[in-house]
Amino acid sequence: MLQQMTLAEKLGQLTMISLGGPPTGPVADPATLADVAAGHVGSVLNLVGRDRIATAQTLARSTRLGIPLVFSLDVVHGYRTIFPVPIGEAAAFDPALWQETAQAAAAEARREGIHLTFAPMLDIARDPRWGRIVEGPGEDPWLAARFARAKVDGFQGADLAAAGTLAATAKHFVAYGAAIAGRDYASAAVSAGSLAEVYLPPFRAAVEAGVAAIMPAFSDIDGIPMTAHAALIAGRLRHDWGFDGVVISDWDAIGQLVAHGVAADLAEAAALALNAGVDIDMVSGAYRRGLPEALDRGLVEPEAIDAAVLRVLALKERLGLFEAEAGPAAAAGPPASTDAAGRRALARHAAERGTVLLHDRSGLLPVGSPRKIAVIGPFGRDRGGGADRIGPWAGLGEPDRAPSLPTALRARFPEAEILSKAGVDGRRPGRRGIAGAVAAARAADLVLLCLGEPADWSGEAASRAEPGLPGDQAALAEAIFALGRPTVLILTGGRPLIAPTVIDRAGAALMAWFGGSEIAAGLARILAGDAAAGGRLPVSWPRSPGQLPVFFGERPSGRPYDPDNPFTSHYLDLPNAPQFPFGHGGTPGAFALSGLSVTPEAVGPTGTLSVAVIVANAAARADEAVIFVFIQALKALPNRPVLELRAVERVALAPGETQRLTIPLSAAALDRLDDGAGPEPGRYAVRVGLDAERSRHLVAEVMLGAG
Ligand code: BGC
């Protein structure tokens, strides 16, 4: 094939154009179906609808070489049926669920003609000012690696040519989440050590799982934009890790190398990206317009172009596009609909499992049989507001078919009267509606106070310097709390929302994230006690933007905080600890851990430890405990974080049940997560707890021998 291709046809294979959807950036090189017909396009994003896709594919197949197009879309947390946003799904700490929802999304999208998704997003995020924290699995690299495997397996299945699969794209390679001060598109502030131990491991896991594509981040590391980062793309990714899939630039990112100040023109930009190992140019036109000149100027070798083309053709081969006339895309049957009962049920299950009970200070859950429920706040409106339930990057999700909380409550509490009043706007100040909301709440015997941030205040280009409750929501909350009615706060959002007083003052508080198509039904069941709020926080929940970044995996200080010694690491005006630690959630006081033993006490590098712990459910209802196993290397140079997550187990317990749980932990798990030479011999602490708060951990020590 390669020998028959002209340069323009080769560059066409390296060109991805957008044929629909709202652009997420400038469109420097607008392209049309005429470019497809001319054989100058290899892949398309944002074109949806079976017929439109089929038309474009027919055009591509009628070109001189007839090479089919790859159709791609951000299928991030669902296609039609929308599951919780990734941070909310991560809260379920359930790899089987992560895989299943990806599978369901792939099944819906592929039958509509989509071949490739720009997911999973694997950016570790420790600063909720960064809006894209919503798109990833949170703050921890071990968890993110687990998430990466589950998502890649779920999207891709065993065979990308099979129906119901999508080629996955691990993004954004790498350290995009380390954007300075949480400002999207800013330079990443990252050390070599945390690059290796925090930001890269999830991508290595995706590569090991066979991910088809990787997307470099918009950001730079030490002045080298990731789109031009030869050491990390050609070096780490391809050479060291053996990645043989395609690297797809982010939106216009090759053209933006000029704005980054590393290229003088499009030819230089294209050469930098190609030589770094970027195969596909998403919408900038730099490859088709800049590479011919780059060749003339000797900035690139023809072989580099050929190698990229071969990788693109290999992806098309892997997707089975050369085989069938119209590919598996043209599956028969009705278009995907959110109503498919199985997917609805899965979406509800995922919503319940991702929702986090932040506290239940007043013991309000389950709520019993209230006669009058007032749903107060801009995120509990009876009509509209569906976009804030399905959240950002919701594919072809249908906001109007994500029932509202009042609707779901009417179905679950048919005897109760349900009132709903927004009170204030979810983004802008204005207090005129507060009096009406207070009147409604006064008449109720249960108040559900639905506050948060709107979907478009979360995601790309949605950084917030003060990621709390926008507008006058706090004033509404104060007015409602002043009534002294039993009040459950239900938060909607894509990040931990910094609103410590409002959260504390509620009788109980739930974080529902943007929980997807079925979040309202899930919440109704949680309130009724049919289901537990199964989530645990995949991120530390800060008290103040002044603490950011706040995360559990800090390195040790030479002066760790000691309340009796002022010259230790602390703030004068705030505690160091977040409002809620990573892992926090679940029915307060339900579970107790005891009797930790880790055996054998000494282990060689190829051995396995057995971590045994007794878990008791003291509550009056069946529930699942989530148990976290951390390690701490007690001496290492460079030193290692004070806590490193290495295992998470969910255990279902009947009321009053006690179980002895045994978790195998290979000695290799004592290693750093980088590409290093294996764990250093020495003493390690194994710390087991229900969250990352160290003072509550059970601790055992083991000795790792040299082998
Ligand atoms: C985002 C990517 C996304 C792409 C295509 C960009 O703006 O950064 O994550 O996949 O747009 O929609």
Side-chain angles (χ1 to χ4, degrees):
M1 177 81 79
L2 204 58
Q3 295 75 24
Q4 309 161 34
M5 295 175 84
T6 64
L7 177 62
E9 284 165 340
K10 289 179 183 174
L11 299 183
Q13 288 308 307
L14 307 187
T15 297
M16 177 180 279
I17 65 168
S18 174
L19 289 177
T24 48
V27 185
D29 183 34
T32 63
L33 284 178
D35 298 278
V36 173
H40 293 162
V41 175
S43 48
V44 169
L45 84 153
N46 289 346
L47 185 69
V48 293
R50 230 187 248 183
D51 295 345
R52 273 176 282 175
I53 286 179
T55 305
Q57 194 65 300
T58 306
L59 277 181
R61 288 183 193 279
S62 347
T63 56
R64 192 176 78 90
L65 298 171
I67 303 174
L69 297 163
V70 170
F71 293 94
S72 53
L73 187 73
D74 291 274
V75 181
V76 173
H77 53 112
Y79 178 78
R80 281 260 186 227
T81 310
I82 303 302
F83 304 103
V85 286
I87 192 171
E89 230 200 6
F93 286 94
D94 185 345
L97 177 69
W98 299 336
Q99 184 168 339
E100 212 181 332
T101 57
Q103 231 159 21
E108 286 188 355
R110 185 74 184 252
R111 67 207 302 280
E112 297 290 291
I114 302 297
H115 305 123
L116 178 140
T117 174
F118 304 116
M121 194 272 227
L122 302 174
D123 296 310
I124 302 298
R126 296 174 163 185
D127 187 336
R129 290 176 297 183
W130 191 55
R132 302 198 81 169
I133 190 173
V134 66
E135 290 174 59
E139 75 178 51
D140 182 66
W142 180 88
L143 182 68
R146 198 66 204 79
F147 188 82
R149 281 195 292 277
K151 286 297 178 195
V152 173
D153 289 349
F155 283 128
Q156 297 196 163
D159 174 9
L160 280 181
T165 62
L166 284 178
T169 308
K171 70 187 190 185
H172 304 85
F173 186 73
V174 57
Y176 185 31
I180 287 174
R183 193 158 24 81
D184 208 3
Y185 314 128
S187 186
V190 65
S191 67
S194 52
L195 184 64
E197 293 178 35
V198 176
Y199 292 97
L200 284 168
F203 288 93
R204 197 183 57 212
V207 169
E208 284 166 3
V211 74
I214 302 268
M215 181 188 290
F218 282 128
S219 41
D220 73 278
I221 296 178
D222 283 338
I224 306 192
M226 283 311 307
T227 307
H229 212 303
L232 286 172
I233 298 175
R236 190 69 58 99
L237 189 60
R238 288 207 197 279
H239 178 269
D240 300 351
W241 296 348
F243 174 66
D244 61 359
V246 299
V247 174
I248 307 175
S249 88
D250 204 343
W251 184 281
D252 194 38
I254 303 181
Q256 288 166 22
L257 292 175
V258 176
H260 269 287
V262 297
D265 55 26
L266 225 47
E268 281 188 20
L272 278 174
L274 187 80
N275 291 334
V278 178
D279 302 310
I280 295 181
D281 172 5
M282 183 192 286
V283 311
S284 88
Y287 276 5
R288 58 182 193 156
R289 293 192 287 145
L291 279 181
E293 194 174 328
L295 272 171
D296 287 348
R297 289 197 225 155
L299 300 175
V300 293
E301 299 295 329
E303 292 74 26
I305 294 176
D306 288 354
V309 172
L310 284 176
R311 286 192 285 262
V312 172
L313 295 178
L315 171 67
K316 294 183 176 186
E317 183 84 51
R318 205 175 154 192
L319 283 162
L321 300 185
F322 291 108
E323 275 143 44
E325 175 57 19
S337 124
T338 318
D339 293 327
R343 287 191 296 271
R344 279 251 176 220
L346 180 61
R348 197 194 67 201
H349 175 66
E352 291 165 6
R353 238 166 150 67
T355 295
V356 181
L357 179 59
L358 295 174
H359 72 78
D360 188 5
R361 193 165 53 78
S362 308
L364 297 183
L365 298 189
V367 298
S369 314
R371 283 171 301 106
K372 234 180 209 182
I373 307 176
V375 185
I376 303 295
F379 298 90
R381 282 182 301 154
D382 206 350
R383 291 182 201 291
D388 296 329
R389 291 187 281 282
I390 63 176
W393 292 116
L396 268 65
E398 301 156 299
D400 297 342
R401 303 181 75 178
S404 70
L405 185 57
T407 303
L409 292 170
R410 281 184 199 108
R412 181 56 190 81
F413 298 90
E415 309 291 307
E417 187 187 336
I418 315 286
L419 316 164
S420 146
K421 281 270 185 264
V424 296
D425 189 82
R427 52 189 95 214
R428 279 170 292 275
R431 302 188 175 196
R432 275 203 313 223
I434 293 184
V438 167
R442 185 178 284 122
D445 46 5
L446 174 68
V447 181
L448 303 178
L449 181 58
C450 299
L451 306 181
E453 64 177 356
D456 57 357
W457 283 43
S458 171
E460 184 173 357
S463 293
R464 299 182 54 201
E466 292 177 1
L469 298 170
D472 274 322
Q473 296 185 70
L476 171 67
E478 284 310 311
I480 297 295
F481 294 146
L483 295 173
R485 315 300 298 156
T487 301
V488 180
L489 173 66
I490 300 176
L491 290 169
T492 290
R495 42 163 69 92
L497 291 164
I498 303 179
T501 315
V502 172
I503 293 171
D504 270 350
R505 285 200 59 194
L510 288 161
M511 179 56 173
W513 313 101
F514 299 111
S517 305
E518 286 294 307
I519 180 62
L523 286 170
R525 280 169 43 88
I526 289 168
L527 293 165
D530 307 338
R536 305 293 187 268
L537 293 176
V539 283
S540 306
W541 190 295
R543 292 171 196 275
S544 155
Q547 292 180 310
L548 299 177
V550 59
F551 55 97
F552 73 80
E554 277 194 38
R555 291 191 192 275
S557 163
R559 294 188 179 194
Y561 177 53
D562 170 357
D564 298 324
N565 181 351
F567 294 98
T568 56
S569 181
H570 72 296
Y571 296 109
L572 292 175
D573 50 357
L574 271 184
N576 289 353
Q579 185 177 15
F580 304 110
F582 174 97
H584 175 81
T587 310
F591 301 109
L593 301 181
S594 61
L596 173 68
S597 78
V598 181
T599 50
E601 282 169 21
V603 68
T606 56
T608 299
L609 296 165
S610 177
V611 179
V613 67
I614 294 164
V615 196
N617 178 10
R621 49 171 299 161
D623 202 347
E624 284 184 31
V626 183
I627 316 248
F628 297 88
V629 179
F630 300 94
I631 60 153
Q632 181 184 11
L634 296 174
K635 192 201 83 177
L637 189 65
N639 71 11
R640 292 179 51 180
V642 293
L643 276 186
E644 298 182 54
L645 185 62
R646 287 298 182 268
V648 181
E649 290 282 325
R650 290 192 75 110
V651 200
L653 293 167
E657 186 185 346
T658 295
Q659 258 190 46
R660 186 165 186 275
L661 182 71
T662 306
I663 304 165
L665 194 69
S666 76
L670 299 175
D671 198 1
R672 298 172 198 267
L673 295 183
D674 66 3
D675 300 339
E680 295 107 314
R683 281 166 52 239
Y684 290 79
V686 176
R687 311 180 64 105
V688 180
L690 296 169
D691 59 37
E693 171 49 49
R694 290 167 52 87
S695 63
R696 292 193 286 264
H697 288 168
L698 302 176
V699 187
E701 277 191 25
V702 294
M703 177 61 99
L704 177 67

